Amino acid sequence: KSIQEIRDDLVAGRYTSHDLVIAYMKRIAALDTDGPKLNSILEMNPEALLIADACDAERRAGKAHGLLHGIPVLIKDNIDTADMMRTSAGSLALKDHYASKDAFVAQRLRQAGAIILGKTNMTEWANWMSTKMPGGYSSLGGQVLSAYNPSFDVRGSSTGSAVAMSAIFAAAAVGTETSGSIIQPSYWASVVGIKPTVGLISRSGIIPLATSQDTAGPIARTVADAAVMLNVLAGADPTDSATLAAAGKIPKDYT
């Protein structure tokens, strides 16, 4: 279902955010951990159900907030989250690295009410280890496989986020791009990826490759869902000078 359909269902009480998290967890277990073993998820958020329960309580109390209230999303593993999940850029060198502060992108997601369900696998260090590095391979997470055919290419470095959208492991996802790392894996996964102009979305708290070109961006199953995610992610960040030029110029609704 689309983000709007999920939102409507939550408002109507057809299911809860707790139900959603359980459903996505079961699907990830069946297809990512087991079955075809797509390997797109590097780590699940151990607090996801607790966050879902809190979102459900807020909704019952009439305090639902944000475009993504109680809706599970996934983010690439080079984006800092100050929680029980690591931020490793797919590398064994950072397997024990826990961020002390949320990236601005993670802050925006939480402010919109999203449940960060987990971190997605990626090409290690955003594909800057070797000219022969396979797309979607990391020393920490192994090789990401296409949801359509394991022999298909997956490309780019936001491969876990793109494949997770193919397999419907969350409502939407976030990737990052320096040169093709959102666009290419989205294309090969037959999903929608938007690589914004640098400065529309903050780079702070994201393990960099080239700050002159790096940017986060949404990956989703539909253009409308990607636009909703862009609404959430775009914004001026005082700690990222590139975003200051966008202040006051960001449309209220990309949909």
Side-chain angles (χ1 to χ4, degrees):
K1 291 189 171 185
S2 69
I3 288 173
Q4 183 61 56
E5 288 172 324
I6 292 171
R7 190 187 299 138
D8 291 345
D9 285 349
L10 289 171
V11 169
R14 296 186 185 98
Y15 45 78
T16 65
S17 294
H18 184 104
D19 296 333
L20 264 181
V21 169
I22 291 292
Y24 285 129
M25 282 180 168
K26 285 183 176 180
R27 189 165 175 83
I28 289 167
L31 299 176
D32 206 68
T33 309
D34 206 351
K37 298 182 178 179
L38 302 179
N39 216 26
S40 67
I41 309 299
L42 199 53
E43 184 173 17
M44 295 295 291
N45 187 351
E47 299 175 297
L49 281 172
L50 292 175
I51 297 169
D53 290 341
C55 289
D56 288 332
E58 288 173 332
R59 190 176 297 282
R60 286 194 297 271
K63 297 180 180 179
H65 60 89
L67 292 172
L68 299 174
H69 186 90
I71 296 177
V73 300
L74 292 161
I75 65 173
K76 191 176 177 180
D77 190 48
N78 60 347
I79 301 172
D80 283 345
T81 53
D83 51 23
M84 297 177 71
M85 293 186 289
R86 299 165 294 187
T87 305
S88 73
S91 175
L92 282 169
L94 294 181
K95 66 181 178 66
D96 298 317
H97 171 243
Y98 292 86
S100 59
K101 181 182 177 181
D102 272 347
F104 190 77
V105 163
Q107 291 176 29
R108 297 282 292 183
L109 289 169
R110 296 193 205 278
Q111 289 166 4
I115 301 166
I116 300 178
L117 185 61
K119 298 283 190 81
T120 56
N121 199 1
M122 56 181 284
T123 312
E124 187 169 345
W125 296 112
N127 201 15
W128 209 249
M129 292 286 289
S130 165
T131 56
K132 298 180 181 179
M133 173 71 83
Y137 175 80
S138 72
S139 61
L140 188 60
Q143 181 66 51
V144 179
L145 300 178
S146 168
Y148 292 101
N149 187 318
S151 69
F152 287 178
D153 207 339
V154 285
R155 299 286 181 99
S157 73
S158 301
T159 45
S161 294
V163 168
M165 289 299 94
S166 290
I168 321 176
F169 290 158
V174 180
T176 66
E177 173 162 332
T178 304
S179 179
S181 288
I182 290 174
I183 299 301
Q184 287 193 47
S186 297
Y187 171 85
W188 286 91
S190 196
V191 295
V192 179
I194 297 176
K195 190 270 185 182
T197 301
V198 172
L200 186 64
I201 297 173
S202 173
R203 302 163 297 176
S204 65
I206 299 176
I207 296 173
L209 175 53
T211 54
S212 59
Q213 293 177 221
D214 286 352
T215 182
I219 299 178
R221 291 182 59 81
T222 68
V223 174
D225 285 353
V228 169
M229 288 292 285
L230 200 57
N231 284 345
V232 170
L233 298 174
D237 174 10
T239 67
D240 182 354
S241 59
T243 69
L244 299 182
K249 300 177 183 178
I250 298 171
K252 291 183 178 180
D253 187 3
Y254 281 100
T255 59

